Amino acid sequence: MKRLSLVVALVLLVSLAAGQDQSTAAAVKAVRCGALIHPASGQVQHNVIVIIQGERVRDVLENATLPAGAAVIDLSDHTCLPGLIDTHTHTLLQGDITAADYDEQLLKQSIAYRAILGTRSVRRALEYGFTTVRDVETEGAGYADVDLKKAINNGVIPGPRMRVATRAMDVTGAYPLSGYAPEVPVPHGVQIVDGADNARKAVREQISYGADWIKVYSDRSYFVRPDGVLDDIPTFTMDELRAIVDEAHRQRHKVASHAIALNGVHNSVEAGVDSIEHGNYIAEEDMKAMVQKGIYYVPTIYVGEYVAQGRAAAGAKVWVEMLKIHGETFRRAVHAGVKISFGTDIGGFDWGITPAVEFPYMVKYGMTPMQAVRSATTTAAEMLGMQNDVGGISPGKYADLVAVKGDPLADITLLQKIDFVMKGGEVYKAPGH
Ligand SMILES: [Zn+2]
């Protein structure tokens, strides 16, 4: 009697253990990569197996045998790298070469419709291999970026991890829509704020509605001086800019500053923003201050190429002149050791184009391919304060992993052909699909 119950108990135990094994095995995935790029160290591992449990990476093994029972994804003819990060997107904007393109979206499309288009933008971002984005303002679509982020996090729609800036800020008379009759009220692409107190209030308001970052427009009206310096008209006073930065930092949020030329960049650096967006021209002294203060540079080179001819045809030739200046500034920044975070301004150009078109420009203007990849992974993750979760493939981080055929370090344009995308252990795109 006693002996029999022991046998029954043993059989029970064994079957329980087997059952447990099966359920654990179901949650484990193994991705076999022909090569794996580690942007932080600059190392490339070959014949690697990435073990994923749930949302996160459990192990990275070289020349190992596959764990029994794991679901295997074979990318042995691919190069794997961490999910890419674009730190300057506009998911709610669908291209604006001319003022008319922009006005049409704000005047003729409801925010609801723009949000529907936004769901397409975020899906495309993910399919291009960008598993994290910082969206730096909705261009008149209110707080719809907070809702896109929420819908992605709740599993309603596919999309990247998002950090959002909501409405952004500029002063009266500086931001479109503009040029309409004074008696016709028109929407603006930003929240208009004047005066330090109002600026502080706007920061509080935007954060209360879900802004992760605060975005400001620090300059406008660009022109090339005879000495070759790209000059501008600053928007905010130093008082206003300092109030915005102080209020955002008090609440442990960061500030991104659109600053294309001399004064916009200088004032932003003085005020202590966290990132300079575009930075077509950065004076030598300001570049030194950026290195010293750890301010990131988000250059967005490709969008300049994209809009230049159209804007020149509409009378603004400066956009063509700015391209050359931008390339030189980027080269100086690489040399000076400024922290450069990958960003494209996609939405300013068509979402039918992959943000990866930015990479060849970064290489053309002085980065190695590895530096360019690092900028879109390690550095971007650090700027976002997400370095423990994204930007690398190592145990404990999210299983955000993309892959291409061939070697993107030999041909950086291959990153425009990402054909495998995994985010948080879920496959969103697989070769042949
Ligand atoms: Zn932008």
Side-chain angles (χ1 to χ4, degrees), residues 83-89 130 132-136 163 213 254-257 274-279 282 290 294-302 326 330 333-334 337-345 355 358-359 362 367 370-387 390-391:
L84 301 170
I85 305 172
D86 187 341
T87 59
H88 191 124
T89 69
F130 288 80
T132 301
V133 304
R134 183 186 59 162
D135 206 58
V136 280
R163 290 292 180 269
W213 279 70
K254 290 182 178 176
V255 179
S257 176
D274 301 280
S275 68
I276 296 291
E277 308 299 309
H278 314 300
I282 305 175
M290 285 174 73
I295 297 172
Y296 290 83
Y297 175 32
V298 184
T300 74
I301 303 167
Y302 170 78
H326 206 169
F330 185 89
V334 173
V338 177
K339 294 192 281 190
I340 300 176
S341 175
F342 183 95
T344 63
D345 216 3
E358 182 81 6
F359 287 110
M362 301 171 91
M367 275 185 165
M370 184 64 91
Q371 283 176 317
V373 169
R374 187 176 299 145
S375 158
T377 52
T378 320
T379 311
E382 280 168 10
M383 183 179 82
L384 299 178
M386 297 172 75
Q387 64 275 10
V390 301

Side-chain angles (χ1 to χ4, degrees), residues 88-90 93 136-137 139 175 215 217 258 277-278 300 303 344-348:
H88 191 124
T89 69
H90 298 281
L93 193 65
V136 280
E137 89 123 322
E139 307 285 2
Y175 206 86
K215 165 86 179 285
Y217 285 83
H258 164 111
E277 308 299 309
H278 314 300
T300 74
V303 70
T344 63
D345 216 3
I346 189 169

Side-chain angles (χ1 to χ4, degrees), residues 5 11 33 35 48 97 99 126 132 141 153 178 196 206 223 232 321 323-324 330-331 349 352 359 386 389 417 426:
S5 59
V11 168
C33 299
V48 173
I97 292 177
L126 192 58
T132 301
N153 289 349
S178 52
Q206 293 186 1
F223 61 100
D232 56 0
E321 300 170 310
L323 299 177
K324 190 166 166 277
F330 185 89
R331 203 178 279 284
F349 60 90
F359 287 110
M386 297 172 75
D389 286 324
K417 296 174 196 147
E426 291 281 326

